[in-house]
Amino acid sequence: MSKPILILGAGPSGLAAAHALASVGQRAVLVEKEGRLGGAPILSGYAKLVPSGEWARDAIGGMVARVENNPLVAINKGCTVKEFRGEPGAFQATLSNGEMCQVGAAILCSGFTHFDSVNKPEWGFGTFPDVVTTAQVEQMISSGKGVRCPSDGRKPQRVAILLCVGSRDRQIGREWCSKICCTVSCNLAIEIREEIPDCHVYIYYMDIRTFGLYETRYYWRSQEEFKVKYIKARIAEVTSDGQRLIIKGEDTLVKRPITIPFDMVVHAIGMDPNVDNRSIASVFGVALEPHGHIGKGNAYGTFGETSRPGVFVAGAATGPETIDDSIGQARAAAMAAFAFVQQPAAPAAKVA
Amino acid sequence: MSKPILILGAGPSGLAAAHALASVGQRAVLVEKEGRLGGAPILSGYAKLVPSGEWARDAIGGMVARVENNPLVAINKGCTVKEFRGEPGAFQATLSNGEMCQVGAAILCSGFTHFDSVNKPEWGFGTFPDVVTTAQVEQMISSGKGVRCPSDGRKPQRVAILLCVGSRDRQIGREWCSKICCTVSCNLAIEIREEIPDCHVYIYYMDIRTFGLYETRYYWRSQEEFKVKYIKARIAEVTSDGQRLIIKGEDTLVKRPITIPFDMVVHAIGMDPNVDNRSIASVFGVALEPHGHIGKGNAYGTFGETSRPGVFVAGAATGPETIDDSIGQARAAAMAAFAFVQQPAAPAAKVA
């Protein structure tokens, strides 16, 4: 029987990898730093997921239950990996709970960290209570409480969603695009309109990146069926007139300054590299790419290789990623790791 | 020993699935309708791939060689599947070359069909010889002949790349976004500027969708390092003044009509559903989604499920897809099919 495979992180990627391995009879050791499995969709209380429309608690909750009930997966919650030594096919991991594991390979499914909007102070988060994040609106919806202004609990009549908060923004060191915020924001706008039909929802954007089949399902549907309005704009600041929030900026298409009142302003926050990436890279001996994500080899090889043979990576640990693609990558990396523990002979990957 | 798994199509997805299966000792039967393996990157002669920068003939060629030399993969070229009968775990496939195969499962990796630009006649393809497609420019580069105007063989001094040709265009029944053409066009613009440093390259766009880490590597790099110019515009038509091509339209940002001369106009062609999808759906008994791609179940299950248990799908067969994500999905679907042939007990997936 081959040695177990260590999986770091129990979000959608880690859960998918663990399930994939167990489905072919391969043991896995799952290590999750939080006290609960599920990653961002569960811990941050996401509402309905893109593109399935299923509630996160059902979709990802189902993945959690399937792994928690699987005898081939050893689960360590509230736990980190302190040391990872040895050779490909014969690694020894020391966990923070004192356990030592002999493992044949590892898959890093350590995900991302939500951008903290206080790092974009001119857009009002932390100053005005009714400036919130997409994650907070997801929680309002998934909790059943509904979308309400935090300041006084009223139903907003006018909501603005600002895209690219912590993305495509060199001033604050986030040059990358976070890939899925556009589509998530279209989806959220639809959910707000479903709950509060007389609420006007505006999306302020640089480019709308509802790529592939999301174009029809989210961008067009949100406009035509749900009357969400899209405005290409440069936002200068979010202030208040004492009664309502005021968005100031420039409408890029009509080339005119805009000063528009809203009840609620939503930051579509991006995906930062996981705050633990330096420590993870150090413990596992893998290289980071220039932005601080975990570097991965080209896809043409065995998939999901890091710079260290026998250590694989998948999902948002490698850069902003959708849930579906994270799951696909994790299952692909699980396949690679499974083949590896049967015959560990891969050379080191060239990583980006 | 479990029955082999049928793989339909030998592009990046099919090659990745076959390699993944063979890497865990699972036999595969690969069926490719063309006389050569490699799919679009090889058959259409792509140049340097996104995001690796490797030549397609090396990157995908290497995947071909690895599969062709693998004793666990039975290859059928110039061949289609005529019938696919039986039960999950015990299917019988009849191939057009007369072979009958007993297989445990199937993975549809049948990819896409390039949009044919003659279906967008007002943009000049088929009328003016110097209006070409991204696929043709890739061939010019990969063949070593260089980027030249087909009419007279001269090096172009001014090149326009028009995005969304056969994408995001309801007038011609292509509502979807083709996901990767923006990034491919940025990459192609860089390659043109590398070959002809004094050539001016313009990209005409609706939205620039260089999502995720492509933002830095392609969008910013093409502008800053290679001086590629981006113009948000609605293109009305491509005509000629007898000497040069003329692009007419409206610059959306400055709200002014534009009439600009070019030596070469490049259509960034989109990804249509594979022209064979109706026949494939009929033979394999799987449902198509509304646009005509092969329908797939949600990612939270075993991955890549179609409406028929035991038949999986991956890559651009399901909608516009990148090469890397196609490969990841194919390896994930291979993992699912491999688990399936060991224990075929999955219920039918709900497909989109």
Side-chain angles (χ1 to χ4, degrees), chain B:
Chain B
M1 196 183 200
S2 56
K3 288 181 185 153
I5 292 169
L6 179 79
I7 299 169
L8 186 72
S13 300
L15 294 168
H19 174 258
L21 293 174
S23 72
V24 296
Q26 169 65 45
R27 290 176 299 154
V29 176
L30 186 56
V31 179
E32 167 58 50
K33 69 177 173 183
E34 303 294 342
R36 192 177 170 193
L37 307 188
I42 295 296
L43 297 169
S44 294
Y46 290 1
K48 291 184 192 165
L49 298 183
V50 168
S52 68
E54 287 186 32
W55 290 96
R57 59 173 165 270
D58 297 331
I60 310 302
M63 295 179 75
V64 169
R66 195 168 56 177
V67 162
E68 285 190 320
N69 296 325
N70 198 307
L72 291 174
V73 185
I75 296 173
N76 299 270
K77 298 179 193 174
C79 183
T80 59
V81 177
K82 307 305 287 180
E83 282 186 2
F84 190 81
R85 296 173 185 279
E87 297 300 315
F91 293 114
Q92 182 169 332
T94 309
L95 309 188
S96 62
N97 62 9
E99 274 197 42
M100 305 271 277
C101 318
Q102 308 295 327
V103 297
I107 309 173
L108 307 178
C109 297
S110 39
F112 69 100
T113 296
H114 282 120
F115 175 73
D116 185 345
S117 270
V118 299
N119 294 313
K120 190 71 185 172
E122 62 273 33
W123 288 11
F125 184 85
T127 305
F128 306 109
D130 295 339
V131 178
V132 295
T133 66
T134 36
Q136 288 176 293
V137 177
E138 298 259 357
Q139 283 159 21
M140 292 179 193
I141 295 168
S142 66
S143 68
K145 292 175 189 157
V147 179
R148 301 292 178 271
C149 294
S151 65
D152 61 2
R154 76 184 187 283
K155 284 189 185 181
Q157 293 303 299
R158 294 176 55 82
V159 172
I161 302 177
L162 310 183
L163 296 185
C164 299
V165 186
S167 304
R168 307 184 67 189
D169 189 342
R170 281 190 175 172
Q171 288 183 319
I172 56 170
R174 271 81 175 179
E175 197 172 54
W176 58 86
C177 156
S178 290
K179 191 171 179 178
I180 192 62
C181 335
C182 283
T183 307
V184 163
S185 296
C186 296
N187 185 42
L188 209 55
I190 290 172
E191 290 184 276
I192 294 171
R193 291 274 301 154
E194 281 178 329
E195 193 215 327
I196 313 174
D198 60 347
C199 178
H200 298 272
V201 182
Y202 291 75
I203 292 181
Y204 290 88
Y205 70 94
M206 280 198 273
D207 294 284
I208 289 292
R209 294 187 165 178
T210 46
F211 52 79
L213 301 187
Y214 298 158
E215 177 78 359
T216 311
R217 205 181 297 193
Y218 294 98
Y219 186 42
W220 286 108
R221 187 162 155 258
S222 68
Q223 290 185 74
E224 296 182 340
E225 198 175 325
F226 291 92
K227 312 300 176 198
V228 175
K229 289 129 196 150
Y230 288 80
I231 300 179
K232 185 169 167 73
R234 283 181 212 279
I235 305 302
E237 59 173 342
V238 177
T239 61
S240 169
D241 64 2
Q243 300 244 314
R244 296 220 271 185
L245 298 167
I246 307 291
I247 288 182
K248 291 185 181 175
E250 187 198 57
D251 183 314
T252 325
L253 292 183
V254 301
K255 289 275 170 199
R256 242 179 291 176
I258 50 178
T259 303
I260 305 180
F262 286 98
D263 298 305
M264 178 183 276
V265 171
V266 183
H267 285 197
I269 50 173
M271 299 166 89
D272 274 0
N274 190 316
V275 291
D276 295 331
N277 272 1
R278 278 178 199 288
S279 142
I280 291 169
S282 165
V283 167
F284 284 90
V286 300
L288 298 177
E289 56 85 62
H291 296 306
H293 308 282
I294 297 173
K296 64 176 171 182
N298 289 337
Y300 325 118
T302 66
F303 206 84
E305 294 172 297
T306 66
S307 58
R308 185 172 185 187
V311 179
F312 299 85
V313 65
T318 67
E321 203 43 274
T322 69
I323 291 176
D324 279 23
D325 284 339
S326 294
I327 289 174
Q329 288 172 20
R331 290 181 169 276
M335 186 60 148
F338 178 60
F340 185 84
V341 295
Q342 299 188 355
Q343 195 167 29
K350 256 172 43 189
V351 300

